[in-house]
Amino acid sequence: MEIINRSVAIKDHVEGAPEESDFELRTDVITAELTPGSNDVLVKNLYLSIDPYQLNRMKKYSSSHETSNYAAPLVPGKTIDGYGVGRVVASAKAGFEKGDLVAGVIGWEEYTLVHEGTMLNKLSTTEFPLSYHVGILGFSGLTAYGGFYNLCKPKNGEKVFVSAASGSVGNVVGQYAKLFGCYVIGCAGTKQKVELLKNKLGFDDAFNYKEESDLKSTLKRYFPDGIDIYFDNVGGEMLEAAVSNMNLFGRIAVCGVISEYADAKVRASPNMLDVVYKRITIQGFLAGDFISQYADFFALTVGYLRSRKLHALEDISIGIESIPSAFAGLFHGDNIGKKMVQVAEE
Ligand code: NAP
């Protein structure tokens, strides 16, 4: 049986902020007949994760290219791979059968032929909407969990600052921190996002960083007694301002530096004397570092979801054609919560 498969690729390397015109939608014909013994699995893709790190893969060069298999460079004209959820259409692999729901590395396309060695797991539960397995129960949640509990080493009552706090990772970090017993302030780029953080997600306070002209004094105003933990999603000037407001032995988990992805001229230059004399720990990490804690992360997060203590914040675009605008929108602050694209009905 032959299947029409539409997919998304970059036309050329992307160096600045991504635009919809940087992408092309291609149409190919693929076969659903799998070679016995190949261990291939053909997946009909349902929800695709749209993530900022993909921009680093689109560049000619980025440090990500050499340090993480998941962030390997993308080749213009070739389908972009990424995390998502789908349903098995055909399988030559033991343990996977037609109809199974799976999560793993698929592609920005309607169908993906997943080869042996590529991450693909059967979903362990259908208790929650499928989209949760892309966001809060997927890598966004694991990123928040790994970074917050392992690197930030929170203590009850500590003061936590989260940037890009209404985003996929940031909103979960803020919610975990509140549930842990911390005092939490987030920043985001619109009034609507700020209201949501305060009124729906339970942050103690929040502010719109785009309305502030001096971030160091802004943070001083919101944290008169200093910051114990900064969960950094943005880098740049915000990281500098956070460092100057950190308390002794403060911890900074550098999850991402999105303000630096689209502009090679933006680079944080924190005051290193602050780092030395205040004995601040600044540590970068990748979600994959915590894959061995997946079961603990899943149990905690599912428990919070069941008791409705945790909200799943999602932002879903529909149709494969919407991928370029969904992706470009991340860099303009268009999304609220986990950005994903639903490419097919469940
Ligand atoms: P996200 O926060 O859901 O979406 C990106 C958000 O970043 C936008 O909505 C926008 O919100 C904000 N933003 C965009 N450009 C900005 C700029 N120039 N300055 C400040 N804020 C900007 O994305 P996410 O998936 O949760 O990722 C957040 C960060 O974590 C990214 O840096 C990402 O690369 C990183 N990350 C790292 C890992 C890891 O394994 N280390 C895993 C997942 C994500 P505003 O309206 O607030 O500006």
Side-chain angles (χ1 to χ4, degrees):
M1 189 181 70
E2 293 197 322
I3 300 173
I4 307 260
N5 185 30
R6 290 183 300 160
S7 59
V8 174
I10 43 169
K11 292 180 191 161
D12 202 347
H13 294 286
V14 182
E15 299 301 337
E19 294 176 13
E20 287 183 51
S21 57
D22 291 324
F23 299 88
E24 59 189 12
L25 188 62
R26 302 151 54 91
T27 304
D28 295 296
V29 176
I30 57 169
T31 174
E33 314 298 325
L34 304 187
T35 313
S38 64
N39 281 343
D40 287 346
V41 180
L42 182 64
V43 176
K44 180 176 183 180
N45 299 333
L46 301 174
Y47 291 94
L48 300 175
S49 181
I50 306 295
D51 298 287
Y53 81 93
Q54 296 280 16
L55 183 60
N56 296 324
R57 304 184 67 199
M58 294 172 192
K59 297 172 185 172
K60 274 210 179 81
Y61 173 77
S62 154
S63 3
S64 69
H65 295 179
E66 289 154 8
T67 46
S68 164
N69 289 343
Y70 296 112
L74 290 171
V75 178
K78 289 252 168 84
T79 304
I80 295 163
D81 57 305
Y83 198 74
V85 166
R87 194 179 283 283
V88 174
V89 175
S91 172
K93 185 175 171 123
F96 289 81
E97 289 182 9
K98 187 175 173 184
D100 283 347
L101 285 166
V102 289
V105 178
I106 47 180
W108 287 9
E109 57 188 340
E110 292 173 306
Y111 294 85
T112 300
L113 187 61
V114 181
H115 298 298
E116 179 68 1
T118 305
M119 180 203 282
L120 193 71
N121 297 306
K122 286 208 282 191
L123 292 190
S124 55
T125 170
T126 50
E127 181 184 347
F128 302 101
L130 273 185
S131 54
Y132 283 25
H133 296 274
V134 177
I136 196 156
L137 293 175
F139 267 89
S140 307
L142 182 65
T143 305
Y145 177 92
F148 179 64
Y149 292 106
N150 288 268
L151 269 56
C152 298
K153 299 183 179 21
K155 296 187 201 79
N156 195 16
E158 281 195 317
K159 298 187 176 54
V160 176
F161 175 48
V162 187
S163 53
S166 71
S168 169
V169 175
N171 91 82
V172 184
V173 171
Q175 294 189 75
Y176 281 151
K178 275 308 299 172
L179 288 163
F180 190 85
C182 295
Y183 176 81
V184 184
I185 296 185
C187 72
T190 67
K191 186 168 183 279
Q192 185 197 2
K193 291 180 176 183
V194 167
E195 292 307 315
L196 181 136
L197 293 173
K198 291 195 288 191
N199 301 331
K200 185 165 178 199
L201 301 187
F203 281 56
D204 293 288
D205 212 338
F207 66 89
N208 180 352
Y209 69 94
K210 290 183 179 164
E211 288 174 349
E212 302 292 330
S213 53
D214 176 357
L215 293 173
K216 280 185 191 162
S217 22
T218 304
L219 289 182
K220 182 81 194 154
R221 202 166 76 237
Y222 280 93
F223 293 95
D225 300 324
I227 301 169
D228 299 305
I229 289 170
Y230 173 41
F231 194 99
D232 187 18
N233 286 311
V234 307
E237 217 187 321
M238 193 64 85
L239 174 57
E240 295 168 9
V243 165
S244 80
N245 280 280
M246 294 302 289
N247 286 331
L248 294 188
F249 297 102
R251 285 84 67 205
I252 300 181
V254 184
C255 175
V257 293
I258 193 169
S259 75
E260 307 184 19
Y261 294 174
D263 186 345
K265 292 195 288 299
V266 180
R267 291 290 177 262
S269 109
N271 183 339
M272 296 309 284
L273 282 185
D274 274 338
V275 176
V276 173
Y277 284 98
K278 293 198 263 181
R279 283 87 106 204
I280 299 167
T281 303
I282 304 179
Q283 189 174 341
F285 71 98
L286 295 175
D289 301 342
F290 304 108
I291 205 81
S292 62
Q293 296 178 19
Y294 187 83
D296 292 341
F297 147 71
F298 195 80
L300 178 88
T301 309
V302 160
Y304 281 151
L305 286 169
R306 279 193 190 127
S307 57
R308 299 187 187 282
K309 289 182 178 152
L310 196 62
H311 296 273
L313 200 60
E314 301 183 322
D315 187 329
I316 306 177
S317 300
I318 308 292
I320 189 102
E321 315 77 4
S322 68
I323 289 179
S325 65
F327 179 68
L330 291 174
F331 298 87
H332 300 120
D334 291 351
N335 63 306
I336 300 183
K338 175 67 204 162
K339 188 70 211 178
M340 60 189 107
V341 169
Q342 183 181 15
V343 283
E345 296 274 335
E346 292 168 28

Coordinates of all heavy atoms in Angstrom, one line a residue, residues 50-53 139-140 143 164-170 187-190 193 209-210 232-234 254-261 285-288 329-339, ligand 1:
I50 N 7.0 21.3 19.2 CA 7.7 22.4 18.5 C 8.5 23.1 19.6 O 8.0 23.7 20.5 CB 6.6 23.4 18.0 CG1 5.6 22.7 17.0 CG2 7.3 24.6 17.2 CD1 6.2 22.1 15.8
D51 N 9.9 23.0 19.4 CA 10.8 23.4 20.4 C 11.8 24.4 19.9 O 12.4 24.3 18.8 CB 11.6 22.2 20.9 CG 10.7 21.2 21.5 OD1 10.2 21.4 22.6 OD2 10.4 20.1 20.9
P52 N 12.2 25.4 20.8 CA 13.2 26.4 20.4 C 14.6 25.8 20.0 O 15.2 26.4 19.1 CB 13.4 27.2 21.7 CG 12.1 27.0 22.5 CD 11.6 25.6 22.1
Y53 N 15.0 24.7 20.6 CA 16.4 24.2 20.3 C 16.5 23.8 18.8 O 17.7 23.8 18.3 CB 16.7 23.0 21.2 CG 16.1 21.7 20.7 CD1 16.8 20.8 19.9 CD2 14.8 21.3 21.1 CE1 16.3 19.6 19.4 CE2 14.3 20.1 20.6 CZ 15.0 19.3 19.8 OH 14.5 18.1 19.3
F139 N 9.0 15.5 27.3 CA 10.3 16.1 27.5 C 10.3 17.5 28.2 O 11.2 17.8 29.0 CB 11.2 16.2 26.3 CG 12.1 15.0 26.1 CD1 11.6 13.8 25.5 CD2 13.3 14.9 26.7 CE1 12.4 12.7 25.4 CE2 14.1 13.8 26.7 CZ 13.7 12.7 26.0
S140 N 9.2 18.2 28.0 CA 9.1 19.5 28.7 C 9.0 19.3 30.2 O 9.7 20.0 31.0 CB 7.9 20.3 28.2 OG 7.8 20.4 26.9
T143 N 12.3 18.0 31.6 CA 13.2 19.1 31.7 C 13.0 19.9 33.0 O 14.0 20.2 33.7 CB 13.1 20.0 30.5 OG1 13.2 19.3 29.3 CG2 14.2 21.1 30.5
A164 N 10.8 33.1 31.1 CA 9.9 32.5 30.1 C 8.9 31.6 30.9 O 8.7 30.4 30.5 CB 10.7 31.7 29.0
A165 N 8.3 32.2 31.9 CA 7.6 31.4 32.9 C 6.2 30.9 32.4 O 5.6 30.0 33.0 CB 7.4 32.2 34.2
S166 N 5.7 31.5 31.3 CA 4.4 30.9 30.8 C 4.7 29.9 29.7 O 3.8 29.4 29.0 CB 3.6 32.0 30.2 OG 4.1 32.6 29.1
G167 N 6.0 29.6 29.4 CA 6.3 28.7 28.3 C 6.2 27.3 28.8 O 5.8 27.0 30.0
S168 N 6.5 26.4 27.9 CA 6.4 25.0 28.1 C 7.1 24.5 29.4 O 6.5 23.8 30.2 CB 6.9 24.3 26.9 OG 7.0 22.9 27.1
V169 N 8.4 24.8 29.5 CA 9.1 24.3 30.6 C 8.9 25.2 31.9 O 8.6 24.7 33.0 CB 10.7 24.3 30.3 CG1 11.5 23.9 31.5 CG2 11.0 23.4 29.2
G170 N 8.9 26.5 31.6 CA 8.8 27.5 32.7 C 7.6 27.4 33.6 O 7.6 27.4 34.8
C187 N 8.6 35.7 35.0 CA 8.5 36.8 34.1 C 8.0 36.3 32.7 O 8.3 35.1 32.4 CB 9.7 37.7 33.9 SG 11.1 36.9 33.1
A188 N 7.3 37.1 32.0 CA 6.8 36.7 30.7 C 6.6 38.0 29.8 O 6.8 39.1 30.4 CB 5.5 35.9 30.8
G189 N 6.3 37.8 28.6 CA 6.3 38.9 27.6 C 5.0 39.6 27.3 O 5.0 40.5 26.5
T190 N 3.9 39.2 28.0 CA 2.6 40.0 27.8 C 1.9 40.1 29.1 O 2.1 39.3 30.0 CB 1.7 39.3 26.8 OG1 1.3 38.1 27.3 CG2 2.4 39.1 25.4
K193 N -0.1 36.9 29.8 CA 0.7 35.8 30.4 C 0.9 36.0 31.8 O 0.9 35.1 32.7 CB 2.0 35.7 29.6 CG 1.9 35.2 28.2 CD 3.3 35.1 27.5 CE 3.2 34.5 26.1 NZ 4.5 34.3 25.5
Y209 N 8.5 41.5 31.4 CA 9.9 42.0 31.3 C 10.0 43.0 30.2 O 10.9 43.9 30.2 CB 10.9 40.8 31.1 CG 10.8 40.1 29.8 CD1 11.6 40.5 28.7 CD2 9.8 39.1 29.6 CE1 11.4 39.8 27.4 CE2 9.7 38.5 28.4 CZ 10.5 38.8 27.3 OH 10.4 38.2 26.1
K210 N 9.1 43.0 29.2 CA 9.2 44.0 28.1 C 8.8 45.4 28.6 O 9.1 46.3 27.9 CB 8.2 43.5 27.0 CG 8.8 42.3 26.3 CD 7.9 41.9 25.1 CE 8.5 40.6 24.4 NZ 7.6 40.0 23.5
D232 N 16.8 29.5 34.5 CA 17.0 30.4 33.3 C 16.6 29.7 32.0 O 17.1 28.7 31.6 CB 18.5 30.7 33.3 CG 18.7 31.8 32.2 OD1 17.8 32.4 31.7 OD2 19.9 31.9 31.8
N233 N 15.6 30.3 31.4 CA 15.2 29.8 30.0 C 15.6 30.8 28.9 O 15.5 30.5 27.8 CB 13.7 29.7 30.0 CG 13.2 28.5 30.7 OD1 13.7 27.4 30.6 ND2 12.2 28.7 31.6
V234 N 16.2 32.0 29.3 CA 16.4 33.0 28.3 C 17.8 33.5 28.1 O 18.1 34.0 27.1 CB 15.4 34.2 28.5 CG1 13.9 33.7 28.6 CG2 15.7 35.0 29.7
V254 N 20.7 26.5 34.1 CA 20.6 27.1 32.8 C 20.0 26.1 31.9 O 20.7 25.1 31.4 CB 22.0 27.6 32.2 CG1 21.8 28.3 30.9 CG2 22.6 28.6 33.2
C255 N 18.7 26.2 31.6 CA 17.9 25.3 30.8 C 18.1 25.6 29.4 O 18.3 24.8 28.5 CB 16.5 25.4 31.3 SG 15.4 24.4 30.3
G256 N 18.0 27.0 29.1 CA 18.1 27.4 27.7 C 18.4 28.9 27.7 O 18.2 29.6 28.7
V257 N 18.8 29.4 26.5 CA 19.1 30.9 26.4 C 18.4 31.4 25.2 O 19.1 31.9 24.3 CB 20.6 31.1 26.5 CG1 21.2 30.8 27.9 CG2 21.4 30.4 25.4
I258 N 17.1 31.3 25.1 CA 16.4 31.6 23.9 C 16.7 33.0 23.4 O 16.7 33.2 22.1 CB 14.9 31.4 24.0 CG1 14.2 31.3 22.6 CG2 14.2 32.3 25.0 CD1 12.8 30.8 22.6
S259 N 17.0 34.0 24.2 CA 17.2 35.4 23.7 C 18.5 35.4 22.9 O 18.8 36.4 22.2 CB 17.3 36.4 24.9 OG 18.5 36.2 25.6
E260 N 19.4 34.3 23.0 CA 20.6 34.3 22.3 C 20.6 33.5 21.1 O 21.5 33.4 20.3 CB 21.7 33.8 23.3 CG 21.8 34.6 24.6 CD 22.9 34.3 25.5 OE1 23.9 33.7 25.0 OE2 22.8 34.6 26.7
Y261 N 19.5 32.7 20.9 CA 19.4 31.7 19.7 C 19.4 32.5 18.4 O 20.0 32.0 17.4 CB 18.2 30.8 19.8 CG 18.2 29.9 21.0 CD1 17.1 29.1 21.3 CD2 19.3 29.7 21.9 CE1 17.1 28.2 22.3 CE2 19.3 28.8 22.9 CZ 18.2 28.1 23.2 OH 18.1 27.2 24.2
F285 N 22.3 22.1 31.6 CA 21.9 20.7 31.6 C 21.0 20.4 30.4 O 20.5 21.3 29.7 CB 21.1 20.4 32.9 CG 19.7 21.0 32.9 CD1 18.6 20.2 32.6 CD2 19.5 22.3 33.3 CE1 17.3 20.8 32.6 CE2 18.2 22.9 33.3 CZ 17.1 22.1 32.9
L286 N 20.9 19.1 30.1 CA 20.0 18.7 29.0 C 19.0 17.7 29.7 O 19.3 16.9 30.6 CB 20.7 18.0 27.9 CG 21.7 18.9 27.1 CD1 22.5 18.0 26.1 CD2 20.9 20.0 26.4
A287 N 17.7 17.7 29.2 CA 16.7 16.9 29.7 C 17.2 15.4 29.7 O 16.9 14.7 30.7 CB 15.4 17.0 28.9
G288 N 17.9 15.0 28.7 CA 18.3 13.6 28.6 C 19.2 13.2 29.7 O 19.3 12.0 30.0
G329 N 6.8 31.4 15.7 CA 6.1 32.1 16.7 C 6.7 32.0 18.1 O 6.5 32.9 19.0
L330 N 7.5 30.9 18.3 CA 8.2 30.7 19.6 C 9.1 31.9 19.9 O 9.3 32.3 21.0 CB 9.0 29.5 19.6 CG 8.4 28.1 19.5 CD1 9.5 27.0 19.4 CD2 7.6 27.9 20.8
F331 N 9.6 32.5 18.8 CA 10.7 33.5 19.0 C 10.0 34.9 19.0 O 10.7 35.9 19.2 CB 11.7 33.4 17.9 CG 12.4 32.1 18.0 CD1 11.9 30.9 17.3 CD2 13.5 31.9 18.8 CE1 12.5 29.7 17.5 CE2 14.1 30.7 18.9 CZ 13.6 29.6 18.3
H332 N 8.7 35.0 18.9 CA 8.0 36.2 19.1 C 7.1 36.2 20.3 O 6.2 37.0 20.5 CB 7.1 36.5 17.8 CG 7.9 36.6 16.6 ND1 7.7 35.8 15.5 CD2 8.9 37.5 16.3 CE1 8.6 36.1 14.5 NE2 9.3 37.1 15.0
G333 N 7.2 35.1 21.0 CA 6.3 34.9 22.2 C 4.9 34.7 21.9 O 4.0 34.9 22.7
D334 N 4.6 34.1 20.8 CA 3.2 33.8 20.4 C 2.5 32.7 21.2 O 1.3 32.7 21.4 CB 3.1 33.4 18.9 CG 3.4 34.5 17.9 OD1 3.6 35.6 18.4 OD2 3.6 34.2 16.7
N335 N 3.3 31.8 21.7 CA 2.7 30.6 22.4 C 2.5 30.9 23.9 O 3.3 31.6 24.6 CB 3.7 29.4 22.3 CG 5.0 29.6 22.9 OD1 5.7 30.6 22.6 ND2 5.4 28.7 23.8
I336 N 1.5 30.2 24.4 CA 1.3 30.2 25.9 C 1.2 28.7 26.3 O 0.3 28.0 25.9 CB -0.1 30.9 26.2 CG1 -0.1 32.3 25.8 CG2 -0.3 30.8 27.8 CD1 -1.3 33.1 26.2
G337 N 2.3 28.3 27.0 CA 2.4 26.9 27.3 C 3.0 26.1 26.2 O 3.6 26.6 25.3
K338 N 2.9 24.8 26.3 CA 3.6 23.9 25.4 C 3.1 24.0 23.9 O 1.9 23.8 23.7 CB 3.4 22.4 25.8 CG 4.0 21.4 24.9 CD 5.5 21.4 24.9 CE 6.0 20.9 23.6 NZ 7.4 21.3 23.3
K339 N 4.0 24.4 23.0 CA 3.6 24.6 21.6 C 3.7 23.2 20.9 O 4.8 22.5 21.0 CB 4.5 25.6 21.0 CG 4.1 25.9 19.5 CD 2.8 26.7 19.5 CE 2.0 26.5 18.3 NZ 0.7 27.3 18.4
Ligands
NAP1 P1 8.6 28.2 25.5 O1 9.1 28.9 26.7 O2 7.3 27.4 25.5 O3 8.5 29.2 24.2 C1 9.5 30.1 24.0 C2 9.2 31.4 24.8 O4 10.3 32.1 25.1 C3 8.3 32.4 24.1 O5 6.9 32.1 24.2 C4 8.7 33.7 24.7 O6 7.8 34.0 25.8 C5 10.1 33.5 25.2 N1 11.0 34.2 24.4 C6 11.2 34.2 23.0 N2 12.2 35.0 22.6 C7 12.6 35.6 23.8 C8 13.6 36.6 24.0 N3 14.4 37.1 23.0 N4 13.8 37.0 25.3 C9 13.1 36.4 26.3 N5 12.1 35.5 26.1 C10 11.9 35.1 24.9 O7 9.8 27.2 25.1 P2 10.3 26.0 26.0 O8 10.2 24.7 25.2 O9 9.7 26.0 27.3 O10 11.8 26.3 26.1 C11 12.2 27.3 27.1 C12 13.8 27.3 27.1 O11 14.2 26.1 27.6 C13 14.4 27.5 25.7 O12 15.6 28.2 25.9 C14 14.7 26.1 25.3 O13 15.7 26.0 24.4 C15 15.1 25.5 26.7 N6 14.9 24.0 26.8 C16 16.0 23.3 27.2 C17 15.8 21.9 27.3 C18 17.0 21.2 27.9 O14 17.1 20.0 27.8 N7 18.0 21.9 28.4 C19 14.6 21.3 27.0 C20 13.5 22.0 26.6 C21 13.7 23.4 26.5 P3 7.7 35.5 26.3 O15 6.3 36.0 25.9 O16 7.7 35.3 27.8 O17 8.8 36.3 25.8

